[in-house]
Amino acid sequence: KNAEIAYQLGIQIGDLVTQKDCANIIYQVYEQLGNYSKAFEYQSLYHLMKDSIKSFENEQAVIAQKFEYEYDC
């Protein structure tokens, strides 16, 4: 229940890390309860958030490298 509340708050404030972490917890709980359709739903959300975070990190790294290259030249 607390993880679901935290997940919703993560959505409201746009915090992808909170959404990812909570989705993972909720997925594990539903899996243990045998509710595999809900488990799959939250596992999918977990992977979506994980991929979004990684993509953002990669974009930031490219921007940093570009800035460093332009600054050095």
Side-chain angles (χ1 to χ4, degrees):
K1 181 91 176 163
N2 289 337
E4 290 177 337
I5 293 169
Y7 177 78
Q8 292 302 320
L9 289 172
I11 291 172
Q12 289 177 3
I13 63 172
D15 185 345
L16 296 179
V17 174
T18 297
Q19 292 176 55
K20 174 187 70 77
D21 293 343
C22 291
N24 191 39
I25 292 167
I26 297 167
Y27 144 68
Q28 291 174 18
V29 169
Y30 277 127
E31 184 177 52
Q32 290 176 357
L33 293 173
N35 189 338
Y36 298 110
S37 63
K38 280 294 213 181
F40 178 74
E41 177 184 338
Y42 280 96
Q43 184 184 39
S44 297
L45 289 169
Y46 166 75
H47 287 292
L48 178 66
M49 294 301 113
K50 184 178 168 186
D51 291 346
S52 294
I53 291 167
K54 189 65 174 169
S55 177
F56 177 77
E57 289 171 347
N58 288 341
E59 287 176 27
Q60 294 300 310
V62 168
I63 291 169
Q65 287 177 348
K66 184 177 178 182
F67 178 77
E68 186 177 316
Y69 173 79
E70 289 175 358
Y71 182 75
D72 287 341
C73 290

